[in-house]
Amino acid sequence: MRVYLLVLLIAAAVAYLTTPLARWCALRWGAITAVRDRDVHAIPTPRLGGMAMFAGILVAILMASRLPFLHALYGNPRPLVGIVGGAALVCALGVADDIWDLDWLTKLMGQVLAAGFLAWQGVQLYQLPFGDVNVISSTRMWTFLTVLTVVIAMNAVNFVDGLDGLAAGVLAIGGTAFFLYAYLLTRTAGGADYASLAALVLAALVGACLGFLPHNFYPARVFMGDSGAMVLGFVISAAAILVTGQIDTESVLNRQRFPAFLPILLPFAVLLLPLLDMALAVVRRVGAGKSPFHPDRMHLHHRLLGLGHSHRRAVAIMYIWTAVFAFGVSALVVWSTTEVLVCFGVGVVVATLLTLGPLRGRSTPPPADPGGAPGAGAPAPLPVPTPEEVR
């Protein structure tokens, strides 16, 4: 555990120290988020914080190769090449989008390319433990499902990145639960070697999020942008794929078999809010006769603001819901199903009271759809400052 904590601290330190450099690059290259009708920030803000997060993950994984406890993980470098190389591809794609606002088809093609590279390096679904049966299909089918899983995860994180500190905090909390799940399940499976590639990757991911958060809390000095959201979605989906099929389900105790049989369940719990937000947005937009990529201000975080919550309180509530679901599922590896259900029920009640209870301020009507009259329901966009003005 101490080794993984060291990896986390390295990633956090690198991300924290390089975020000002990423902000400077954003100002120099013109990667600045203007105030649009659907946004909640009040002043134009530089993005490209994802470059610092990727740097934290990269440096932590490289330095971990010098640690004896993790040395065996580097014997076969292909999975790490797939994860780091794929993350580099999506980070570059996100940087290009943050600067030039790429069209959705170009971004989708880049995401598929990165996910395909990950699968080509051997990080792909090849079986799905379910009950007493391991579902096994053709290689082409699993490759397709791998690419689909990674692309969905990247876009889900991108959808939820709408408030200062939201996406990074949600992934830090969910990644911590996922890390504990992977680490404890590896120990439960027995054996003298507790080193886990999934745990290593997740420790680096959580560290990068924690290092970036001090710069991203409301009011944020820098946004992660697509370069960060896509990297986070890519890395956590890669970790989910690494866990699937790696645990010998015959070696775990009967009461612990459920989490071993469904290792893919926890990533869905971690990304539940982003996935729910994305699904609702697609249904809402298609139902209105618009493109699924048509922007609006009806995301979950917008609805929390509409209920009367402040910016920071809305983010904290999203953190709580993420913790309830993520830690609720990860607890199955050490607690009985009954104990988990009781604690999960209490957590849901508390989260619901905080969401709908007396802490809310005065409710406000939903903001106008940006597809309506220009400037309706929102203040006029502020001019984008030059780098010198922002500095």
Side-chain angles (χ1 to χ4, degrees):
M1 180 64 76
R2 287 176 296 179
V3 173
Y4 293 120
L5 181 59
L6 176 61
V7 172
L8 185 152
L9 292 175
I10 292 173
V14 172
Y16 179 79
L17 294 175
T18 56
T19 296
L21 176 60
R23 184 177 185 274
W24 179 86
C25 291
L27 296 173
R28 180 68 63 179
W29 299 340
I32 300 175
T33 303
V35 181
R36 302 162 296 185
D37 289 345
R38 69 179 183 270
D39 293 326
V40 296
H41 61 281
I43 60 173
T45 306
R47 38 188 188 258
L48 295 185
M51 293 198 307
M53 303 177 80
F54 172 71
I57 294 172
L58 174 63
V59 172
I61 289 178
L62 290 177
M63 294 189 69
S65 64
R66 313 305 301 172
L67 301 175
F69 177 78
L70 300 173
H71 187 70
L73 298 179
Y74 294 80
N76 176 19
R78 289 190 64 201
L80 281 169
V81 170
I83 295 171
V84 174
L89 286 174
V90 297
C91 184
L93 177 67
V95 169
D97 182 56
D98 288 338
I99 298 174
W100 296 300
D101 287 328
L102 303 178
D103 62 274
W104 69 269
L105 183 58
T106 301
K107 287 196 292 185
L108 180 61
M109 291 175 62
Q111 292 171 350
V112 171
L113 178 64
F117 178 77
L118 181 71
W120 180 52
Q121 292 299 317
V123 182
Q124 67 172 330
L125 296 167
Y126 60 90
Q127 65 177 11
L128 183 61
F130 192 85
D132 292 324
V133 179
N134 278 339
V135 180
I136 301 176
S137 185
S138 66
T139 302
R140 290 183 179 180
M141 177 59 70
W142 286 126
T143 301
F144 170 77
L145 291 177
T146 298
V147 172
L148 181 63
T149 299
V150 175
V151 170
I152 289 176
M154 284 190 282
N155 285 284
V157 176
N158 204 10
F159 266 71
V160 82
D161 183 26
L163 294 179
D164 297 355
L166 180 56
V170 165
L171 268 294
I173 294 169
T176 300
F178 198 0
F179 164 77
L180 293 173
Y181 173 93
Y183 176 76
L184 293 175
L185 196 57
T186 302
R187 291 180 63 95
T188 302
D193 187 4
Y194 296 150
S196 166
L197 183 56
L200 167 63
V201 170
L202 289 165
L205 172 71
V206 173
C209 292
L210 294 178
F212 176 71
L213 270 173
H215 303 279
N216 190 233
F217 278 127
Y218 179 82
R221 287 177 49 80
V222 61
F223 294 154
M224 69 171 64
D226 279 13
S227 57
M230 290 196 294
V231 165
L232 295 183
F234 181 90
V235 173
I236 199 166
S237 60
I241 293 167
L242 286 170
V243 172
T244 303
Q246 287 191 346
I247 303 299
D248 180 10
T249 56
E250 297 297 327
S251 64
V252 298
L253 301 176
N254 285 332
R255 76 173 181 83
Q256 295 169 327
R257 295 187 107 191
F258 178 69
F261 284 145
L262 291 178
I264 201 68
L265 177 63
L266 184 55
F268 283 104
V270 171
L271 295 175
L272 179 64
L273 292 182
L275 289 171
L276 178 62
D277 196 15
M278 184 176 68
L280 291 175
V282 170
V283 172
R284 180 174 65 249
R285 294 166 185 175
V286 172
K290 300 176 181 178
S291 166
F293 301 96
H294 179 79
D296 59 26
R297 293 193 64 175
M298 296 297 290
H299 290 286
L300 294 178
H301 49 271
H302 290 130
R303 295 178 183 273
L304 286 175
L305 294 175
L307 285 173
H309 292 290
S310 66
H311 190 295
R312 292 183 178 181
R313 192 158 55 235
V315 171
I317 289 173
M318 296 284 276
Y319 286 175
I320 292 171
W321 279 108
T322 299
V324 168
F325 285 103
F327 283 98
V329 175
S330 64
L332 287 168
V333 76
V334 290
W335 291 351
S336 68
T337 304
T338 301
E339 292 172 326
V340 170
L341 288 176
V342 171
C343 293
F344 177 76
V346 173
V348 168
V349 170
V350 171
T352 302
L353 291 176
L354 292 174
T355 303
L356 303 176
L359 291 179
R360 293 182 297 143
R362 180 175 298 177
S363 299
T364 58
D369 191 325
L382 299 177
V384 179
T386 64
E388 290 73 17
E389 290 173 337
V390 177
R391 283 197 295 269

